[in-house]
């Protein structure tokens, strides 16, 4: 299958979940494949400084919190937890090491050549990687994203006071007071880690509610749950500056719409106001490719850019910035290059926030469904009435099913539950199969499981649930 005019059939730039998956798939399809990565290890943001290390800290801190906040005591387990932060960090580093090493093994197994170094285009088929020049018939840009900077706020991860998500994963001690700038996914996940370990956490959010992009009811409910856990919020508030003095920071905030400013003292400040695509340094000018006003590379539904032979996937293209979206795009893009049909249904990408409880959703929010012209019928079911959640002392949360009033087709499902991230898979699958709320309501769900709440919420769309 190889075209001998080029060194490779496919060169992937970036070895995150988009890039490494595309490279493995391309190689599995018989294409001679290389992957350029400038980091020391494979796996991109996700494995090195994103999904995996954050989940390692969330998992460990969740146990600590359960032991410290009385949850274990309710179960008849008496313990007095003592924090060994070095060991907690150690197990995080181990998870990263094992998983990034696993990708290296998969590259070798599938005969994907890892080109170490930063890649930049010379022309559409010629890429300089470090000192080496590599030619390829197809180049996939999978360069991912990095933290959006906040003007007036200087991140210094080494200093461990004003940090981004990477620095917040590594804090050497539990801060007394952490100010989180941005009440989105990173702010709530990493804010949860340090709150559970003993920090006071104040979230400063520009909008009037946390978690933009999630369903309105779910955002409100999540807000209440986190408040009950001890989070403090300053909503509709913007940060105008952060000054560091010794080991303390002074955060200046003012109402989002203008007004008197005030200051907050903290010993850690997490900047988590979003991420932006990595395209600097790729020398896109050399191939006549321009990014859009958000810095993203535009692609068609086959993941082709405007330049023949150049493709793009993952966080550097429009859409949700999620690892599983990047992975699915990687597979579909490689399939398209090999001449198969690779499709990603961008309308059904689940989102999960791995807090306690977890928050998950797929499809349209109620607001977006109405805006799209649907008349909707909504069914809700509280986790408090779910036998398993109740037995496990996990009463917080609910499931919300949004269906089209006329056709009953499910438009979106949103939930807050201890295992919402696992529950949302069935919602995504049902929606892929074009399910109606009645289909979910009539599907037998095992008892006692948290997922029964989804069945009951689906029942609530057209009839009545049994357990409330
Ligand atoms: P990336 O993973 O960013 O990988 C791109 C790679 O390209 C990087 O390794 C970079 O070094 C390399 N690169 C860039 N430019 C060049 C170049 N010129 N030459 C060579 N190499 C280059 N998503 C989830 O779905 N679930 C989660 O739980 C989750 N948790 C997260 C937690 C945190 C703290 C963060 C920051 C992100 C999290 N995400 C999560 C988002 C997820 O990490 C990204 O959506 C995902 O990594 C995007 O994959 P990607 O392959 O597009 O890019
Ligand atoms: P985000 O977009 O989720 O949240 C950023 C928040 O900051 C928003 O609520 C926004 O209104 C607010 N904001 C923006 N400017 C502000 C300002 N000046 N002052 C105060 N608030 C401001 O971005 P976040 O949390 O940084 O995460 C980046 C990306 O990483 C997300 O898009 C997400 O997809 C991905 N991610 C996914 C995770 C998951 O799937 N569990 C976990 C962590 C990250």
């Amino acid at each position: 299958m190889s075209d001998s005019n080029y060194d490779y059939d496919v060169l992937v730039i970036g070895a995150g979940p988009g890039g490494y998956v595309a490279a493995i798939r391309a190689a599995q399809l018989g294409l001679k494949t290389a992957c350029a990565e400038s980091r020391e290890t494979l796996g991109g943001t996700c494995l090195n400084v994103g999904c995996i290390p954050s989940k390692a800290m969330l998992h460990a801190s969740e146990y600590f919190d359960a032991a410290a906040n009385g949850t274990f005591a309710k179960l008849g387990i008496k313990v007095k937890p003592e924090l060994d932060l070095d060991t907690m960090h150690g197990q995080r580093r181990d998870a990263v090491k094992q998983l990034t090493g696993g990708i290296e093994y998969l590259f070798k197994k599938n005969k994907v050549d890892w080109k170490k170094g930063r890649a930049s285009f010379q022309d559409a088929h010629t890429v300089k990687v470090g000192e080496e020049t590599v030619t390829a018939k197809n180049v996939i840009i999978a360069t991912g994203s990095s933290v959006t900077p906040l003007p007036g706020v200087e991140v210094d991860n080494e200093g461990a006071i004003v940090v981004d998500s990477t620095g917040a994963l590594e804090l050497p001690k539990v801060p007394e007071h952490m100010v989180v700038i941005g009440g989105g996914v990173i702010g709530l996940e990493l804010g949860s880690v340090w709150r559970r370990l003993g920090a006071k956490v104040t979230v400063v959010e520009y909008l009037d509610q946390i978690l933009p992009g999630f369903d309105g009811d779910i955002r409100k409910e999540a807000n209440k749950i986190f408040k009950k856990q001890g989070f403090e919020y300053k909503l509709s508030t913007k940060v105008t500056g952060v000054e560091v003095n010794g080991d303390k920071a002074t955060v200046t905030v003012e109402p989002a719409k203008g007004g008197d400013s005030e200051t907050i003292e903290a010993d850690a400040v997490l900047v988590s106001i979003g991420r932006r695509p990595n395209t600097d340094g790729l020398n896109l000018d050399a191939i006549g490719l321009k990014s859009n006003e958000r810095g993203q590379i535009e692609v068609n539904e086959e993941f082709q850019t405007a330049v023949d032979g150049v493709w793009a996937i993952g966080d550097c293209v429009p859409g949700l910035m999620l690892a599983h979206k990047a992975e699915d795009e990687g597979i579909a893009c490689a399939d398209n290059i090999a001449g198969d049909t690779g499709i990603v249904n961008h309308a059904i990408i689940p989102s999960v926030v791995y807090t306690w409880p977890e928050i998950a959703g797929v499809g349209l929010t109620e607001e977006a469904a109405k805006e799209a012209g649907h008349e909707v019928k909504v069914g809700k079911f509280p986790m408090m009435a779910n036998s398993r959640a109740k037995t496990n002392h996990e009463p917080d949360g609910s499931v919300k099913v949004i269906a089209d009033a006329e056709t009953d087709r499910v438009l979106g499902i949103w939930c807050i539950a201890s295992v919402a991230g696992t529950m949302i898979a069935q919602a995504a699958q049902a929606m892929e199969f074009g399910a109606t709320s009645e289909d979910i309501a009539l599907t037998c769900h095992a008892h006692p499981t948290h997922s029964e709440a989804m069945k009951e919420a689906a029942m609530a769309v057209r009839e009545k649930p049994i357990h409330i």
Side-chain angles (χ1 to χ4, degrees):
M1 210 169 190
S2 293
D3 186 328
S4 55
N5 291 326
Y6 300 102
D7 299 332
Y8 291 95
D9 297 314
V10 178
L11 170 68
V12 185
I13 305 178
Y20 86 70
V21 166
I24 291 173
R25 179 71 157 203
Q28 287 172 345
L29 293 168
L31 299 167
K32 193 176 177 212
T33 305
C35 183
E37 172 56 59
S38 54
R39 249 180 237 275
E40 291 298 309
T41 47
L42 301 172
T45 303
C46 173
L47 269 62
N48 287 284
V49 291
C51 323
I52 296 304
S54 60
K55 265 80 260 179
M57 293 303 280
L58 279 159
H59 182 65
S61 62
E62 192 175 302
Y63 280 131
F64 183 84
D65 195 33
N69 73 11
T71 304
F72 278 2
K74 277 188 210 156
L75 302 173
I77 307 164
K78 280 192 176 174
V79 281
K80 218 172 165 202
E82 192 186 327
L83 181 63
D84 175 357
L85 189 56
D86 287 346
T87 301
M88 201 177 276
H89 280 315
Q91 59 88 37
R92 164 180 60 78
R93 283 189 207 102
D94 276 354
V96 169
K97 195 170 170 210
Q98 283 177 29
L99 289 171
T100 54
I103 309 301
E104 209 173 325
Y105 161 78
L106 289 174
F107 269 17
K108 281 189 190 128
K109 182 177 162 204
N110 288 284
K111 301 193 169 45
V112 174
D113 290 341
W114 174 8
K115 303 282 175 192
K116 297 185 184 180
R118 181 155 286 279
S120 64
F121 281 98
Q122 294 192 323
D123 64 44
H125 300 283
T126 313
V127 175
K128 195 131 196 281
V129 187
E131 296 305 307
E132 192 181 354
T133 301
V134 181
T135 63
K137 189 170 180 191
N138 298 281
V139 180
I140 303 176
I141 304 172
T143 47
S145 63
S146 20
V147 178
T148 305
L150 179 58
V153 181
E154 201 179 318
V155 166
D156 171 15
N157 285 334
E158 293 291 312
I161 296 176
V162 183
V163 293
D164 60 21
S165 55
T166 302
L169 287 166
E170 306 251 358
L171 292 180
K173 63 178 175 44
V174 180
E176 268 171 47
H177 186 195
M178 172 181 249
V179 170
V180 171
I181 310 177
V185 194
I186 291 181
L188 293 170
E189 285 189 0
L190 296 182
S192 288
V193 166
W194 295 106
R195 185 204 57 73
R196 292 166 184 174
L197 299 181
K200 171 183 167 184
V201 176
T202 304
V203 176
V204 182
E205 166 58 51
Y206 186 82
L207 300 174
D208 62 1
Q209 188 52 280
I210 56 168
L211 283 178
F214 280 66
D215 182 85
D217 286 339
I218 294 289
R219 292 172 72 186
K220 269 189 234 146
E221 193 178 350
N223 179 321
K224 278 194 201 142
I225 293 171
F226 292 133
K227 202 176 262 176
K228 205 166 71 180
Q229 292 175 357
F231 271 91
E232 291 190 10
Y233 302 110
K234 285 201 169 289
L235 301 178
S236 305
T237 303
K238 66 182 174 196
V239 170
T240 53
V242 177
E243 208 174 291
V244 177
N245 269 318
D247 55 3
K248 298 273 176 226
T250 305
V251 182
T252 307
V253 300
E254 65 178 47
K257 293 193 174 125
D260 293 342
S261 63
E262 59 173 307
T263 56
I264 312 173
E265 300 299 316
D267 49 356
V269 178
L270 163 60
V271 181
S272 51
I273 59 161
R275 294 180 60 84
R276 60 176 188 189
N278 290 331
T279 52
D280 288 355
L282 273 175
N283 195 21
L284 292 179
D285 286 347
I287 58 171
L289 191 59
K290 290 214 177 324
S291 45
N292 68 17
E293 71 285 351
R294 302 186 64 192
Q296 299 156 326
I297 299 172
E298 296 279 351
V299 287
N300 65 15
E301 60 186 21
E302 291 179 357
F303 307 103
Q304 285 167 319
T305 69
V307 177
D308 217 25
V310 180
W311 312 67
I313 56 168
D315 277 12
C316 67
V317 306
L320 293 172
M321 287 182 159
L322 295 173
H324 41 283
K325 177 250 190 195
E327 286 187 45
D328 284 7
E329 289 183 348
I331 291 175
C333 182
D335 286 354
N336 288 325
I337 290 173
D340 291 341
T341 305
I343 294 171
V344 176
N345 181 359
H346 286 103
I348 305 182
I349 308 268
S351 292
V352 182
V353 190
Y354 296 86
T355 45
W356 178 263
E358 294 178 347
I359 305 165
V362 63
L364 297 177
T365 61
E366 185 175 345
E367 298 76 29
K370 286 180 177 160
E371 211 169 290
H374 292 279
E375 200 185 311
V376 300
K377 277 193 117 180
V378 171
K380 294 181 189 170
F381 189 82
M383 291 314 292
M384 196 148 44
N386 171 270
S387 59
R388 185 67 180 278
K390 205 167 167 48
T391 308
N392 288 3
H393 304 269
E394 299 163 345
D396 289 333
S398 63
V399 180
K400 174 173 178 181
V401 174
I402 304 156
D404 183 277
E406 197 184 333
T407 63
D408 192 36
R409 195 164 170 155
V410 176
L411 301 170
I413 299 187
W414 298 85
C415 45
I416 304 181
S418 57
V419 289
T422 307
M423 288 163 68
I424 208 67
Q426 88 156 87
Q429 194 161 49
M431 288 176 67
E432 277 291 355
F433 291 171
T436 59
S437 75
E438 188 183 35
D439 289 328
I440 298 177
L442 292 178
T443 301
C444 186
H445 287 63
H447 175 76
T449 58
H450 296 80
S451 296
E452 286 174 286
M454 198 168 295
K455 176 190 171 97
E456 297 235 39
M459 289 173 85
V461 173
R462 289 157 38 94
E463 298 165 339
K464 285 199 171 122
I466 301 295
H467 293 95
I468 43 170

